[in-house]
Amino acid sequence: MDATDFIMGDAVRRLEAALAGYTGASHAIACASGTDALMLSLKALNLAPGDEVITTPFTFFATAGAIHNAGGRPVFVDILPGTFNIDPEAVAAAIGSRTRALVPVHLYGQMAAMEALMPLAKRHGLAVIEDAAQAIGARRRMAGGTPMAGTVGTTGCYSFFPSKNLGAWGDGGMIVTQDAILADRLRRLRTHGGAKQYRHDEVGFNSRLDTLQAAVLLAKLPHLDRWNAARRANAAVYDAAFAGLKEVVTPPVDPANEHTYHQYTLRVARRDALVVRLKEQGIGCAVYYPKALHQQPCFAPLGYREGQFPATERATAEVVSLPIYPELPEAHRDQVIAAVREFHT
Ligand SMILES: Cc1ncc(COP(=O)(O)O)c(C=O)c1O
């Protein structure tokens, strides 16, 4: 405040360096939101009308909204019912002559099968934009290492929306990449296409990060691994408490993944009734997502029909996410467990 350094100030540069260090990426580019991180990454591909970008219909709207706003056509493929993440075989079947990129989403905090998607992308010359909005800190055993979500593809996109595992006090986002030339382009695109003031090499956007948000995130980042571990500990207690309950499936973790449980998401047979019961008891719970993206009115022109993505549609009817945040008091966790168990016995 004293330095009147409100936007893109020194703390933003320090946050970019800290995020590069934390994730293991060579370059980190701060921007205004996770949505913008996706949109800028996709804009950098110079999509032409009719170019296709393959993604999952079981995600937050921003994933496909960014594809549309970057000038691409979203092509949806179904998910794997276990992890809720995009099915690599369905991706392979959907690649065509207009395909330019893949946008896997690491949903709920566990990574998609990147070891299957990356060779596909390489073979077909496609960019891979990782939507890691929900998965900062998550890792996957692959290619002889355990890379972090966001660092495997062409770019990785994080969201600092306040409820995320690393949340700001407002909107914020970050792109990471190993590609220095792409990083320069992304820096230009986020500030109206100009590397220098009053010189615009191309038309870009206003997607700056507030210095205040960077300062908040710099203070929180050192705690992120501990908070993610606390989420995993809460998940382990839930898993044990719900094991064997009829009509309840706890969230499966792919053994290659270190899950960060942005959400702890059950599949249940009588979902809507359970949500009502939990809410009656003052228990915060939410459905991510009750409608898939191929079912959204704005994407009707894409021509998808009901029943086309059975695993996705089934998930929209069965999922419910329970409180999992790191500071969740034990008594509250016990109350959640008691309520879910009582409903199912
Ligand atoms: C999967 C996914 N993609 C993209 C976004 C967009 O991030 P933001 O809200 O920061 O724009 C979010 C979160 O809101 C998300 O959960």
Side-chain angles (χ1 to χ4, degrees):
M1 300 302 152
D2 288 344
T4 61
D5 190 10
F6 294 113
I7 294 175
M8 294 297 289
D10 183 54
V12 174
R13 278 181 291 282
R14 284 188 285 123
L15 179 68
E16 289 177 334
L19 250 289
Y22 177 74
T23 59
S26 314
H27 309 275
I29 301 101
C31 61
S33 66
T35 304
D36 276 8
L38 291 164
M39 194 270 295
L40 293 167
S41 296
L42 289 154
K43 272 282 177 191
L45 302 180
N46 302 320
L47 299 174
D51 279 353
E52 296 177 355
V53 178
I54 299 174
T55 194
T56 159
F58 193 58
T59 176
F60 181 59
F61 182 78
T63 313
I67 294 170
H68 174 90
N69 284 333
R73 180 185 172 90
V75 171
F76 298 119
V77 301
D78 212 352
I79 56 169
L80 295 165
T83 60
F84 303 100
N85 281 328
I86 199 163
D87 177 351
E89 282 182 20
V91 172
I95 293 173
S97 60
R98 297 305 306 265
T99 309
R100 294 288 315 282
L102 312 179
V103 183
V105 179
H106 306 308
L107 201 73
Y108 302 150
Q110 84 169 312
M111 285 177 70
M114 297 301 288
E115 70 288 347
L117 297 173
M118 292 309 292
L120 268 180
K122 194 162 178 206
R123 198 172 328 136
H124 295 275
L126 311 176
V128 178
I129 310 301
E130 288 178 74
D131 184 339
Q134 301 187 2
I136 192 163
R139 291 182 179 276
R140 184 170 177 88
R141 198 169 357 93
M142 59 179 282
T146 50
M148 191 175 286
T151 64
V152 181
T154 315
T155 70
C157 303
Y158 303 112
S159 163
F160 303 130
F161 186 80
S163 65
K164 292 292 194 279
N165 289 30
L166 181 63
W169 288 355
D171 274 314
M174 187 75 71
I175 310 167
V176 293
T177 181
Q178 312 289 6
D179 180 333
I181 295 171
L182 179 58
D184 282 346
R185 174 96 194 278
L186 291 165
R187 284 199 183 90
R188 280 202 302 276
L189 282 173
R190 89 175 152 187
T191 44
H192 293 296
K196 289 197 198 118
Q197 215 177 10
Y198 304 123
R199 181 194 155 106
H200 301 273
D201 301 302
E202 60 181 317
V203 179
F205 302 86
N206 170 8
S207 187
R208 303 174 297 221
L209 183 67
D210 288 349
T211 311
L212 174 67
Q213 302 310 338
V216 168
L217 292 163
L218 275 169
K220 292 176 83 171
L221 181 60
H223 305 282
L224 179 58
D225 285 343
R226 183 169 53 81
W227 287 335
N228 282 343
R231 286 172 182 268
R232 278 193 288 276
N234 283 334
V237 173
Y238 280 148
D239 280 349
F242 302 141
L245 272 191
K246 258 201 341 258
E247 299 187 344
V248 176
V249 180
T250 55
V253 186
D254 183 324
N257 273 335
E258 184 165 88
H259 204 315
T260 52
Y261 290 100
H262 174 57
Q263 301 296 342
Y264 181 89
T265 303
L266 296 177
R267 278 181 188 272
V268 294
R270 289 172 290 140
R271 196 266 315 278
D272 293 344
L274 175 63
V275 169
V276 170
R277 179 73 65 83
L278 294 177
K279 291 202 165 149
E280 274 166 10
Q281 297 184 34
I283 293 172
C285 61
V287 173
Y288 306 108
Y289 299 90
K291 217 178 195 358
L293 297 191
H294 69 287
Q295 300 169 316
Q296 295 295 341
C298 66
F299 289 136
L302 297 177
Y304 292 101
R305 48 183 166 70
E306 293 294 314
Q308 198 163 346
F309 304 120
T312 293
E313 288 171 35
R314 189 164 167 205
T316 63
E318 294 182 347
V319 294
V320 57
S321 299
L322 303 179
I324 189 74
Y325 59 95
E327 306 83 3
L328 180 67
E330 211 176 303
H332 289 195
R333 196 177 61 197
D334 290 347
Q335 201 192 336
V336 177
I337 290 170
V340 172
R341 289 183 64 90
E342 189 238 352
F343 182 84
H344 289 98
T345 46

